[in-house]
Amino acid sequence: MRTKSRARMLFKIGLTVIIVVAIYMYYAINLESIKDTFEGTRDVDLSEEQDINENDKIVNDEAKDTEKNKAQAKENEERALRWKQSMHIAVVSCGDRIEESMVMFKSAVLFSRSHLIFHIFTEPEHIKAFQEQLDFWPPKYREKVEYHIYNITFPSSDEIKAEDWKKLFKPCACQRLFIPELLTDVDALLYVDTDVLFLSPVDEIWEFFHKFNSTQLAALTNEHEDKAIGWYNRFARHPYYGVTGVNSGVMLMNLTRLRASSWLQSMHNYYKEYRLKITFGDQDLINIYFHYYPGQLYLFSCEMNYRPDHCMYMSICKPAEKTGAYVLHGCRRVWFLDKQPAFKAVYTAFKEHYLGGSIKYDLLISVNSHLKKANSSNCGKLPQLFTKQIEEYIIKSEAPQS
């Protein structure tokens, strides 16, 4: 009996162990499967998360690129508008003309109400000097100006070499004849010689563009107001404009119309025909052109290009006696000589003036002070010619804004 009972007990214990092991193995196998399933699901989730992150990054990058492109497009649009609305001033400066060119730029930025763009044609060795001086201007004035500097360049052909143009008159002066073909993205500009000073806002002379009729493509002043002292009507051996010819030191140029005209071809033709008969280089060629095409020229008054000839013997520019000179032209190097002390006095005052100083309490007082030393000359006896426009500018600047 005992033996049977014991065998039965061992059988139950063995069966129990087998059942327990079976249950353990069942759960172990299923647990591993659940774990594998979980891990697989997790891997899928991570992969999907990475894909989402990548997509988000692409979307963000595209959004940034879009914003960048919009900003660039807006900047380009603003620049194009500023380029169109600005007043463009061109100068050709070679040799020792850097100083007077900079004084001219200073006078332009001092008074002008509109944004200015300077186009400077010069020799390679002078580029750095212009950059350094213009970049050193106080921010108040630097913000009013954009400048571009170009190397001197002339057309060359079998008949006329580039060097022939360069040596025709003063160094590089003929460069101005080819500006329409060089600045193809500029519609209109004011060309001035380096020996020019603005005594009023550039806006005043720029307004003459609006007075052009449909055929006029440039504006100039007479070379002389009095035939008795006229050079062209007494000595010229070539055709010239009008009765006394025109002076080209201050010239409004509608470049769009000039490009559409026979201007450039005419300059070549006139050079070949009259090269041995011209004295004043590009100015003579301009006179010949407007002799044949007078309807293309707008003639503005002498106060817009006031020169020593207008007062050295007697006052012959009557409009300037009333309004004062708007633009002063120190031709024949009078800025630096004692022959015309009134002109030298005004130039010296502008040269010494510090950008940022008061026009009323610094510049005007300096001009008057220097002019007192020149009151024995015929031009010096008419100081209001040189100060009236500056005084007008001050009055308008101080007037309450409506």
Side-chain angles (χ1 to χ4, degrees), residues 126-276:
H126 299 318
I127 291 176
K128 186 176 180 181
F130 277 113
Q131 291 173 332
E132 289 177 344
Q133 294 189 59
L134 287 167
D135 290 342
F136 188 68
W137 278 4
K140 174 184 176 182
Y141 296 98
R142 185 67 187 85
E143 291 168 0
K144 295 174 65 176
V145 168
E146 176 182 333
Y147 72 85
H148 301 271
I149 303 178
Y150 315 88
N151 286 324
I152 295 295
T153 177
F154 293 104
S156 183
S157 65
D158 293 337
E159 296 178 295
I160 309 174
K161 304 298 182 184
E163 199 64 21
D164 297 331
W165 289 112
K166 185 172 183 178
K167 294 179 178 179
L168 184 59
F169 187 47
K170 295 176 183 178
C172 309
C174 286
Q175 179 73 85
R176 159 256 298 273
L177 300 176
F178 308 104
I179 287 178
E181 300 301 317
L182 297 173
L183 302 182
T184 56
D185 57 346
V186 178
D187 174 59
L189 60 76
L190 170 62
Y191 167 88
V192 292
D193 286 346
T194 58
D195 52 6
V196 159
L197 283 178
F198 293 96
L199 304 182
S200 64
V202 179
D203 311 64
E204 299 293 339
I205 191 169
W206 194 265
E207 281 298 312
F208 283 96
F209 275 121
H210 301 297
K211 298 183 180 182
F212 282 21
N213 64 27
S214 60
T215 66
Q216 290 165 337
L217 47 75
L220 294 164
T221 58
N222 282 316
E223 172 69 11
H224 291 287
E225 301 299 309
D226 185 354
K227 286 177 60 177
I229 60 173
W231 192 92
Y232 283 108
N233 57 291
R234 291 186 298 159
F235 306 115
R237 296 181 295 154
H238 57 78
Y240 55 88
Y241 176 85
V243 178
T244 60
V246 285
N247 183 277
S248 61
V250 179
M251 183 176 184
L252 289 174
M253 304 174 73
N254 185 315
L255 302 187
T256 301
R257 293 184 180 181
L258 282 164
R259 284 188 286 269
S261 72
S262 63
W263 174 267
L264 190 61
Q265 186 58 51
S266 295
M267 292 301 137
H268 284 82
N269 294 340
Y270 299 151
Y271 177 84
K272 289 187 291 184
E273 184 175 355
Y274 297 105
R275 64 192 303 172
L276 300 178

